[in-house]
Amino acid sequence: MLYSKSRKDCQKSYYQVTGIFIVALITFATACHTNVTPAEVETQQRLRLLIDNVQDANAYLEQIVYHNNDSLSADLTANHYYINGGEWLWINANNITRLTIADSLANFLKQKAREIGFSPNAFLIDSIHNALAHFQNLDFDSTGISVSQTMANLELNLTKAYLRYAIGQRYGFMSPHKALNHLDPRNGGGYRILYDIDIEQPTDDYTSEVLVHAAEQEPTKFLVTCETRHPLYHRLISLLSTDTTTEGRRRILCNMERLRWRHTSIPNANQRYVFVNIPSQQLWAIAPDSVFSMRICCGAWKTKTPLFTSQIRLIQLNPEWNIPGSILRDEVSPHAGDSAYFARNRYFIIQRSTGDTIQPQKVTALQLKSGSYRVAQHSGPYNSLGRLIFRFNNQFDVYLHDTNNKSTFNNERRTVSHGCIRVQRPFDLAKFVLPEADEWLLDKIRMNIDLQPESEKGKKYKKEHAEDNNPISGIKMNSTNVTPNVPVLIDYYTIYPNPETDELEIWPDRYEYDIQIAKAIKPFLP
């Protein structure tokens, strides 16, 4: 530049090329080019405009970045860059070609905005093009805005637009934690956590990298690298180009936004994992060389299944169901004193302080709500968790499990649970997460949950103990470890390729999360 500007402890100093040097520069240029073209004359005029107005433009830019009321994180980043003394990136009197680069950037952002279904003005394109036209036409008299103001606004808008695209495409244009975790109020105050997937967040290092690339001759090359590489992303862009319906486009845009939220941990191609998609009400067990699926039942509207990732570490056989506090308070406590209700549901009451079993008729609703007692359901075929439960660490006490009500899997809408996920084929899932299990181990699991053994050893054991009162006493199992742990991803897509067929499938917005995402990205849309 023909000047540099530094700020330290709120002190400002400007270093300008002397007027003598400027005159000499122009004199030299004129002497070397006796046949100056009109275009060259205009270039010299633009250069002179920049030189003459640079100090006022700096002062104006400083004024607007200190007093902006921006809310977008990218805009705040742009403001802070200039507040902290950042060099101008686009309007550069030492390099008049930066105006051409700025024009290329604006055209790139305009094209990309339309491609991803956004309004070009999501990236301030009209304001940028208008300002660039004034420099191109050397027309400022008709605008009522000074050259210095135009310079400052153009510089700031270009940086905002550049950062909006770079950060938005790399990390998302909205925060799922903010949008989805303020929907369902808790009884005790606050909101239920519904989105607990760790996703990458923009860092100061990333912002610095973005700004370094802004100073390059072709900053748009860097912007191309900011897009997600998820293979579904460009399939959705192609779909967007042909879908003219409001509902269809909204669905596509919401799922494109989901693909910008990059998970911090992703199963690799050589790893088996379990993928649950809530809108499809399906589970896929995905291995490097095979995929199979099953139906699920998931959380009802008031008790939505939260979205998170974890690792299946344990299979528990014939579990007791310790009834969660919310269910105990809302559904069980009104039946305090009703022995028939507790017997019918195979519930029993334990006093926490002593561990003693308490008769239902001796406990009041108030006592059940107090937290001094726990209520559980006996294990067995009538248990709500069924015969198998797949346990993994999470803050919600949500798991994959069998069920005693298998008819629900025949329903079209299966959002019926308190948050846990019921699986249609629990034993098949057990085999999937235990790929190294021999047939004897699998037969021991089978016999513990009243399935017939399939190995010769298992069949022989069952025959030899057929008349025993407890034929599995010698092979009774409570649990088996899953080693290595198997990743489980519980997520939410209303458009996604079926992992078995790779065909794009569309599902209802069960929890209306698309509505929340569409609301959050609305400022970017046409």
Side-chain angles (χ1 to χ4, degrees), residues 227-278:
E227 291 183 354
T228 175
R229 292 183 175 85
H230 196 294
L232 175 58
Y233 186 73
H234 284 283
R235 291 177 71 176
L236 292 182
I237 287 179
S238 296
L239 194 61
L240 187 68
S241 67
T242 60
D243 196 324
T244 59
T245 66
T246 301
E247 181 181 353
R249 291 181 67 82
R250 185 183 73 175
R251 184 187 295 112
I252 295 167
L253 291 172
C254 289
N255 286 281
M256 287 173 62
E257 177 64 11
R258 287 186 177 99
L259 297 173
R260 298 183 184 109
W261 311 334
R262 305 190 195 191
H263 298 180
T264 56
S265 59
I266 303 173
N268 61 53
N270 298 317
Q271 192 174 21
R272 58 182 51 223
Y273 67 98
V274 173
F275 171 48
V276 175
N277 186 27
I278 297 298

Side-chain angles (χ1 to χ4, degrees), residues 321 323 327-328 331-332 335 339-350 357-358 360 374-378 382-384 418:
W321 180 37
I323 299 177
I327 302 175
L328 176 59
E331 299 181 23
V332 177
H335 299 279
S339 298
Y341 168 84
F342 281 82
R344 185 168 61 252
N345 289 285
R346 298 175 58 82
Y347 293 164
F348 59 96
I349 305 170
I350 300 294
T357 301
I358 308 299
R374 71 177 179 89
V375 176
Q377 186 180 43
H378 289 290
Y382 301 103
N383 187 279
S384 295
H418 290 94

Side-chain angles (χ1 to χ4, degrees), residues 2-3 16-19 22-23 26 44-58 93 135 147-149 151:
L2 290 182
Y3 78 99
Q16 300 185 48
V17 176
T18 63
I22 296 171
V23 172
I26 296 174
Q44 290 179 9
Q45 289 176 321
R46 293 187 194 98
L47 179 60
R48 188 55 189 252
L49 274 176
L50 298 179
I51 293 169
D52 288 346
N53 290 277
V54 68
Q55 186 167 339
D56 288 343
N58 266 290
F135 277 104
V147 175
S148 59
Q149 289 175 322
M151 289 169 61

Side-chain angles (χ1 to χ4, degrees), residues 202-318:
T203 63
D204 290 342
D205 287 344
Y206 177 74
T207 302
S208 298
E209 179 188 4
V210 171
L211 292 169
V212 165
H213 285 289
E216 296 174 348
Q217 285 298 107
E218 296 185 71
T220 55
K221 286 186 176 180
F222 171 73
L223 292 183
V224 171
T225 70
C226 298
E227 291 183 354
T228 175
R229 292 183 175 85
H230 196 294
L232 175 58
Y233 186 73
H234 284 283
R235 291 177 71 176
L236 292 182
I237 287 179
S238 296
L239 194 61
L240 187 68
S241 67
T242 60
D243 196 324
T244 59
T245 66
T246 301
E247 181 181 353
R249 291 181 67 82
R250 185 183 73 175
R251 184 187 295 112
I252 295 167
L253 291 172
C254 289
N255 286 281
M256 287 173 62
E257 177 64 11
R258 287 186 177 99
L259 297 173
R260 298 183 184 109
W261 311 334
R262 305 190 195 191
H263 298 180
T264 56
S265 59
I266 303 173
N268 61 53
N270 298 317
Q271 192 174 21
R272 58 182 51 223
Y273 67 98
V274 173
F275 171 48
V276 175
N277 186 27
I278 297 298
S280 68
Q281 303 171 129
Q282 291 279 116
L283 175 152
W284 285 272
I286 301 172
D289 57 355
S290 64
V291 180
F292 71 89
S293 65
M294 65 187 71
R295 291 188 168 199
I296 63 163
C297 298
C298 53
W301 176 261
K302 291 185 178 180
T303 52
K304 300 177 181 72
T305 297
L307 311 180
F308 62 94
T309 61
S310 191
Q311 304 265 335
I312 299 173
R313 58 179 179 78
L314 183 75
I315 302 174
Q316 189 176 356
L317 284 67
N318 297 306

Side-chain angles (χ1 to χ4, degrees), residues 157-177:
N157 284 341
L158 282 162
T159 303
K160 284 182 177 180
Y162 176 76
L163 286 170
R164 284 184 187 183
Y165 188 86
I167 295 174
Q169 285 287 68
R170 178 62 180 79
Y171 297 101
F173 289 92
M174 50 83 68
S175 166
H177 296 102

